[in-house]
Amino acid sequence: MSINVACKKGTMSGSESAAIQVLTRAVQLDGDKKFAEALACYEQGIRLLLQAAKDIKDETKRSHFKKKTEEYLARAEVMKEAVNKQKEIGRTHRQIQIENGDTGYSYETIFSPLIDKTLSNVVIVDAYIRSTHQIYNFLHFCELFVHKAECLKSITLQTTQDPSDPRLQNERLDEITRSLRKHNVNLIIEFSETIHDREIRFDSGWIIKIGRGLDYFKKADGRFSIGWSDYHFRECHQTTIDIFHQQTVK
């Protein structure tokens, strides 16, 4: 979000100048994911902006101020939701125990409650995005975030190179990269042979650790069986999922 509420140099009121300074700081804090501080600055900046608007006689400028105020109010609401979510569950550690054969643990079930408008970047660390079904799982994961994370800009995959057929692995991941680009999402792939931990990190602060990584679903009974497309109906392998916010580990 850009700051552009000023009039010509030399004709700016004190309230307007103060509003610009405070809102500039709000946008900076917003970008740094410091939601509580950003919310306070947005609210203060909006008050100053409304105060400055009272003294404006020019109808064009008044209309511009109204539009900018509405934009900052909308962003302040996003900050408020993020702050409330952190207060409710951000300071707690949630653990999900999935037993062998359980159903109802799709990616949507696990990740959707954590997705909001503050999420712009996702990092997946998983050594085993190699075989056909593992890459399909990753594609299914990407589809969820393209659908749910409206402010998503990039997905970073940190994985290992398939020693048996690296060319085929690269071709499949390249296809996903091209497909994501059509949805304005950049896929960054980083290969490393020293990956051990499996985790998913959101730039909004959430960290999800899954014992089996993304590969915790069993094979569907068949291509025309319930559960082939909708992972909600897929049986799972036994695994543990830990969900916590980075503020709990500071």
Side-chain angles (χ1 to χ4, degrees), residues 176-189:
I176 295 175
T177 300
R178 292 192 298 272
S179 181
L180 282 170
R181 197 174 294 133
K182 292 179 181 178
H183 295 273
N184 300 313
V185 177
N186 185 33
L187 176 60
I188 302 164
I189 301 170

Side-chain angles (χ1 to χ4, degrees), residues 70 83 85 97 141 161 167:
E70 290 172 351
V83 170
K85 183 176 286 188
Q97 295 282 356
F141 176 89
Q161 194 96 55
R167 181 189 61 79

Side-chain angles (χ1 to χ4, degrees), residues 120-125 138 142 153-159 173-174 176-178 180-181 185-191:
S120 59
N121 300 287
V122 178
V123 177
I124 303 99
V125 182
F138 176 64
C142 291
K153 295 179 180 177
S154 69
I155 297 174
T156 299
L157 172 63
Q158 298 176 0
T159 190
L173 291 175
D174 285 346
I176 295 175
T177 300
R178 292 192 298 272
L180 282 170
R181 197 174 294 133
V185 177
N186 185 33
L187 176 60
I188 302 164
I189 301 170
E190 300 173 351
F191 290 111

Side-chain angles (χ1 to χ4, degrees), residues 117-180:
K117 293 178 181 179
T118 67
L119 176 62
S120 59
N121 300 287
V122 178
V123 177
I124 303 99
V125 182
D126 191 328
Y128 297 100
I129 308 294
R130 298 176 174 179
S131 64
T132 299
H133 81 277
Q134 291 167 344
I135 295 176
Y136 270 127
N137 285 344
F138 176 64
L139 174 60
H140 197 70
F141 176 89
C142 291
E143 287 175 334
L144 170 67
F145 282 81
V146 169
H147 178 57
K148 296 285 187 178
E150 58 185 87
C151 296
L152 185 67
K153 295 179 180 177
S154 69
I155 297 174
T156 299
L157 172 63
Q158 298 176 0
T159 190
T160 57
Q161 194 96 55
D162 185 352
S164 61
D165 198 343
R167 181 189 61 79
L168 183 58
Q169 179 191 26
N170 286 332
E171 286 179 356
R172 290 168 170 172
L173 291 175
D174 285 346
E175 186 173 345
I176 295 175
T177 300
R178 292 192 298 272
S179 181
L180 282 170

Side-chain angles (χ1 to χ4, degrees), residues 7-215:
C7 58
K8 292 181 180 178
K9 219 171 187 181
T11 62
M12 192 185 303
S13 69
S15 294
E16 185 178 348
S17 177
I20 292 172
Q21 291 179 1
V22 175
L23 289 169
T24 298
R25 179 60 177 158
V27 172
Q28 291 172 343
L29 291 166
D30 187 343
D32 292 338
K33 308 297 181 183
K34 297 179 179 179
F35 305 131
E37 296 96 323
L39 175 61
C41 285
Y42 276 125
E43 290 176 339
Q44 182 185 2
I46 289 166
R47 286 194 297 269
L48 290 167
L49 205 57
L50 290 171
Q51 183 178 336
K54 292 178 181 179
D55 301 324
I56 295 172
K57 306 300 182 184
D58 181 81
E59 193 59 37
T60 300
K61 187 178 178 184
R62 184 188 293 273
S63 177
H64 176 65
F65 266 49
K66 181 181 179 182
K67 180 182 177 182
K68 297 304 294 185
T69 301
E70 290 172 351
E71 290 177 5
Y72 292 123
L73 281 169
R75 193 60 191 170
E77 282 300 312
V78 173
M79 295 295 99
K80 191 176 295 184
E81 290 175 9
V83 170
N84 289 337
K85 183 176 286 188
Q86 288 183 1
K87 286 180 179 178
E88 290 172 9
I89 56 179
R91 298 184 182 278
T92 63
H93 170 208
R94 182 187 177 200
Q95 186 173 85
I96 301 171
Q97 295 282 356
I98 301 178
E99 300 300 330
N100 186 51
D102 278 354
T103 59
Y105 292 100
S106 66
Y107 295 147
E108 183 169 5
T109 299
I110 301 300
F111 298 109
S112 284
L114 310 176
I115 297 174
D116 58 26
K117 293 178 181 179
T118 67
L119 176 62
S120 59
N121 300 287
V122 178
V123 177
I124 303 99
V125 182
D126 191 328
Y128 297 100
I129 308 294
R130 298 176 174 179
S131 64
T132 299
H133 81 277
Q134 291 167 344
I135 295 176
Y136 270 127
N137 285 344
F138 176 64
L139 174 60
H140 197 70
F141 176 89
C142 291
E143 287 175 334
L144 170 67
F145 282 81
V146 169
H147 178 57
K148 296 285 187 178
E150 58 185 87
C151 296
L152 185 67
K153 295 179 180 177
S154 69
I155 297 174
T156 299
L157 172 63
Q158 298 176 0
T159 190
T160 57
Q161 194 96 55
D162 185 352
S164 61
D165 198 343
R167 181 189 61 79
L168 183 58
Q169 179 191 26
N170 286 332
E171 286 179 356
R172 290 168 170 172
L173 291 175
D174 285 346
E175 186 173 345
I176 295 175
T177 300
R178 292 192 298 272
S179 181
L180 282 170
R181 197 174 294 133
K182 292 179 181 178
H183 295 273
N184 300 313
V185 177
N186 185 33
L187 176 60
I188 302 164
I189 301 170
E190 300 173 351
F191 290 111
S192 172
E193 300 307 315
T194 59
I195 294 175
H196 298 290
D197 294 338
R198 292 172 171 177
E199 68 177 27
I200 297 163
R201 300 190 298 270
F202 293 1
D203 67 342
S204 54
W206 293 106
I207 302 171
I208 305 96
K209 291 182 176 287
I210 307 176
R212 295 182 61 96
L214 294 179
D215 191 12

